[in-house]
Amino acid sequence: MDPHAGSPTHTPAQVPTRTPASTSTPTPTDVNTHSHLIPAPRTTRHGATPTRLTPRTTLHTAPGTEALAPLLRGTIGAATGLALAEGGGGDQGDGDGGDADRVVLRLEPGLPGGPEAYRLSTDRTLHNAAALIEGATPAGVFRGIQTLRQLLGPEAFRRAPIAAGQDWALPGVTIEDSPRFGWRGLMLDVARHFMPKDGVLRYLDLIAAHKLNVFHFHLTDDQGWRIEIKRYPRLTEVGSWRSRTKWGHRASPLWDEKPHGGYYTQDDIREIVAYAAERHIRVVPEIDLPGHSQAAIAAYPELGNTDVIDTASLSVWDTWGVNPNVLAPTDNTLRFYEGVLEEVLDLFPEDVSPFIHIGGDECPKEQWQKSDIAQDRIRELGLAGENELQSWIIRHFDTWLSARGRRLIGWDEILEGGLAPGAAVSSWRGYGAGIAAAEAGHDVVMCPEQYVYLDHRQAAGAEEPVPIGFVRTLEDVYRFEPVPPQLGPEAAAHVLGTQANAWTEVMENQSRVDYQVFPRLAAFAEVAWSALPAPAERDFADFERRMAAHYKRLDALGVDYRPPAGPLPWQQRPGVVGRPIEGAPPNR
């Protein structure tokens, strides 16, 4: 999907208000760390007595929370140097002889707020523990662990302790929290620029730390095919590599002449999916069709419109934009992609990946208009034209996926020619398509490019690296509202949530991805999680105050974010052409 097209839309919506956070100045280990949590929790009650974790602190896991112990030790334990030795079950009594120097994980199904609700208490006057984390489900307990990590201060985000043997202060608080939306996602495009497996695992950790719970994995496009499909080996043998790469926007005269590529083996994919599942993150794999498919056609020319162009002469695309070379609407194409998706479903099991994304965006129809094969199919099926032909393809895979217990989701172009029954929509070109889909009873993920496309530039200055699109500052993202006010309650209930998208045409490596994604992902995470006021009423000054501590967390995590004062010299890309769009996005 080309991030440089489309028309903006946004109207603020009224949503529940929350009590602003405290204005005390944060320090990494003082008793006011609760005042700079991101995302902001729903309620915080202050106790009288701070507590602490010590080298003697034990970890108690009640039934159903045992799998969370290694994750807690691998993050908080690794950063603090605390062993957090197993201390038995996390009951409400004294446990092992009345020792209160312990962290307790426990399920509490009655917590209000849905499956990710949690209650975290470090108030010793309420229980016999240094920290008690209760969750409606294990996912809720896991979200509570992320809050505990923030309460311990920025150094709790390191991979190893910088001062061993010390105690770690905690404020005496009780936090009750749950998310506003059940879909809180980040889309990472690894097709345009490949991100090695370790980088993907790192991003799963980063989104987990921000209480996001959906990883949209954009695996195929014109510029590369990134997932091994055993029955079609040329998809990676040929489709995963391009000979060179456009450097900058497609209008740039510059080229990176090095071959670029890479792919994930099926075992890599299984590892990524298991890693996400451990962190209670759903993975939405995307296999793009019928457009954005030149890498597949380069590998298997019979997939293209062979009666219109010489598909055997095509190679993996080396530039950006909307590509005219699309899949042919033939039975062979359908069977081919059914074979691809059979392996995809095996790699992405239903409990982690209930949704499968099939793209459906930016499919030019010129080749179909010239193709006798495509026109014969239109007549054979009694369709009104090429838009309905695309809809027929989408409906085919909607039926195919539904029969296998999965749900299809696609970009909002799948509305053109008629929306497939049961399909969900990623509304990217603005709010209009999402509004139409929700009012028709279809589920929607709001991700309008003019607000949450993180490849768009963060400031107007000439030093911004490869400036793309509208200026979308940290504050702009913080004031993004996923639910348009014109939706009534019934239609608004179809907004599953929201997602930020990171398209990597001009992000050639992990450092560049970091720069574009952070710190704006922190603002997006609060929008997706917290019960914020209407956009104009949001306390951005308080969010900025809390970000002062959050930048230190990002430093500890090794994130190459954009500093508030602007890009550092090595983050700039002088002389590389972008495509800035001036002015504010249209509000429609």
Side-chain angles (χ1 to χ4, degrees):
M1 159 185 258
D2 183 3
H4 315 138
S7 55
T9 138
H10 173 66
T11 309
Q14 296 291 333
V15 294
T17 60
R18 66 172 175 87
T19 302
S22 160
T23 57
S24 57
T25 302
T27 57
T29 57
D30 70 12
V31 296
N32 294 315
T33 49
H34 61 277
S35 72
H36 50 80
L37 298 174
I38 291 176
R42 287 184 179 269
T43 64
T44 302
R45 296 193 302 275
H46 310 289
T49 308
T51 186
R52 62 187 57 246
L53 303 185
T54 77
R56 300 176 302 281
T57 301
T58 55
L59 176 60
H60 298 239
T61 54
T65 68
E66 298 89 346
L68 295 167
L71 290 167
L72 192 152
R73 292 191 183 101
T75 52
I76 292 174
T80 60
L82 302 178
L84 299 172
E86 181 60 47
D91 57 21
Q92 295 188 42
D94 285 348
D96 56 344
D99 181 10
D101 192 5
R102 58 184 187 157
V103 175
V104 177
L105 309 182
R106 187 167 70 204
L107 297 183
E108 186 58 56
L111 284 177
E116 296 181 83
Y118 71 90
R119 179 166 54 223
L120 164 62
S121 179
T122 56
D123 185 351
R124 282 185 183 272
T125 64
L126 301 179
H127 50 77
N128 190 35
L132 170 63
I133 304 175
E134 301 167 293
T137 66
V141 177
F142 181 77
R143 307 300 173 219
I145 290 171
Q146 306 316 306
T147 300
L148 177 64
R149 196 179 180 191
Q150 290 196 24
L151 290 177
L152 288 166
E155 304 308 335
F157 288 81
R158 295 189 178 276
R159 294 189 181 185
I162 58 176
Q166 67 181 25
D167 292 356
W168 290 76
L170 284 168
V173 296
T174 298
I175 295 168
E176 295 186 2
D177 203 6
S178 60
R180 180 185 178 196
F181 293 108
W183 185 303
R184 308 179 307 280
L186 173 69
M187 190 286 305
L188 181 62
D189 168 22
V190 297
R192 272 54 176 273
H193 278 99
F194 178 66
M195 180 175 284
K197 180 191 66 178
D198 285 351
V200 174
L201 299 178
R202 172 179 178 267
Y203 258 84
L204 289 172
D205 281 332
L206 289 173
I207 68 176
H210 288 80
K211 295 191 175 74
L212 300 179
N213 69 342
V214 175
F215 177 60
H216 179 165
F217 204 8
H218 184 78
L219 288 163
T220 75
D221 217 295
D222 299 302
Q223 295 86 1
W225 185 283
R226 306 297 179 210
I227 178 172
E228 178 188 27
I229 302 297
K230 291 187 180 296
R231 75 186 70 184
Y232 303 127
R234 287 177 59 82
L235 286 172
T236 48
E237 291 171 358
V238 174
S240 70
W241 291 90
R242 58 180 182 261
S243 61
R244 63 175 188 170
T245 300
K246 175 62 70 173
W247 180 229
H249 182 259
R250 59 181 174 266
S252 169
L254 305 176
W255 293 89
D256 180 348
E257 297 291 347
K258 298 189 302 290
H260 177 85
Y263 67 91
Y264 309 103
T265 68
Q266 294 204 348
D267 283 345
D268 290 338
I269 294 291
R270 292 186 181 97
E271 180 183 356
I272 289 166
V273 169
Y275 199 84
E278 288 176 344
R279 287 149 183 78
H280 298 276
I281 296 170
R282 286 174 287 160
V283 182
V284 180
E286 181 176 354
I287 305 297
D288 230 326
L289 63 91
H292 287 291
S293 298
Q294 182 161 318
I297 296 170
Y300 292 92
E302 64 272 20
L303 295 172
N305 294 285
T306 56
D307 60 339
V308 177
I309 64 164
D310 177 13
T311 57
S313 67
L314 295 177
S315 59
V316 177
W317 212 25
D318 56 12
T319 189
W320 321 122
V322 179
N323 189 303
N325 298 306
V326 303
L327 298 174
T330 63
D331 290 342
N332 176 66
T333 297
L334 298 182
R335 300 293 87 77
F336 183 97
Y337 275 86
E338 287 171 2
V340 168
L341 290 171
E342 283 177 1
E343 295 193 26
V344 167
L345 296 191
D346 180 61
L347 294 169
F348 295 88
E350 183 178 0
D351 59 337
V352 181
S353 301
F355 286 89
I356 305 296
H357 209 293
I358 51 71
D361 62 303
E362 295 179 331
C363 178
K365 309 300 192 299
E366 288 79 9
Q367 289 185 0
W368 289 354
Q369 291 168 355
K370 298 174 182 178
S371 166
D372 291 338
I373 294 172
Q375 294 302 312
D376 286 346
R377 177 123 280 182
I378 289 171
R379 287 189 290 270
E380 168 197 337
L381 297 170
L383 303 176
E386 289 77 21
N387 282 343
E388 285 195 6
L389 181 60
Q390 175 169 333
S391 179
W392 170 76
I393 295 172
I394 301 300
R395 286 172 181 268
H396 172 86
F397 286 105
D398 177 66
T399 300
W400 191 91
L401 288 168
S402 295
R404 289 155 179 81
R406 307 300 181 95
R407 290 191 63 188
L408 179 148
I409 185 168
W411 303 109
D412 56 52
E413 286 94 331
I414 68 174
L415 289 163
E416 298 166 2
L419 185 61
V425 172
S426 301
S427 188
W428 76 275
R429 291 180 294 180
Y431 284 91
I435 291 169
E439 290 179 339
H442 293 274
D443 289 339
V444 178
V445 175
M446 288 294 188
C447 50
E449 64 155 339
Q450 305 82 4
Y451 294 90
V452 290
Y453 267 37
L454 301 182
D455 51 307
H456 281 215
R457 58 195 171 131
Q458 302 183 65
E463 72 278 5
E464 288 300 313
V466 197
I468 298 297
F470 294 100
V471 171
R472 295 290 84 188
T473 65
L474 183 67
E475 182 172 0
D476 290 329
V477 174
Y478 191 66
R479 298 193 189 280
F480 163 62
E481 171 49 47
V483 181
Q486 56 265 56
L487 287 181
E490 184 176 350
H494 284 287
V495 178
L496 299 176
T498 183
Q499 178 174 293
N501 295 339
W503 298 101
T504 62
E505 286 94 331
V506 297
M507 301 183 214
E508 71 278 6
N509 55 37
Q510 179 177 282
S511 176
R512 278 287 290 124
V513 175
D514 280 4
Y515 179 91
Q516 294 298 134
V517 169
F518 290 100
R520 292 182 295 182
L521 193 70
F524 173 80
E526 183 150 310
V527 168
W529 178 278
S530 304
L532 298 175
E537 300 168 9
R538 293 177 188 173
D539 189 350
F540 181 68
D542 176 70
F543 178 77
E544 279 192 305
R545 179 192 61 78
R546 289 181 284 127
M547 277 301 299
H550 200 68
Y551 285 120
K552 295 177 183 177
R553 298 178 193 129
L554 297 178
D555 286 333
L557 287 164
V559 176
D560 199 9
Y561 59 85
R562 180 189 187 275
L568 299 168
W570 58 86
Q571 293 174 321
Q572 300 175 23
R573 297 291 185 276
V576 181
V577 174
R579 184 175 178 265
I581 305 174
E582 302 302 332
N587 192 20
R588 61 170 186 250

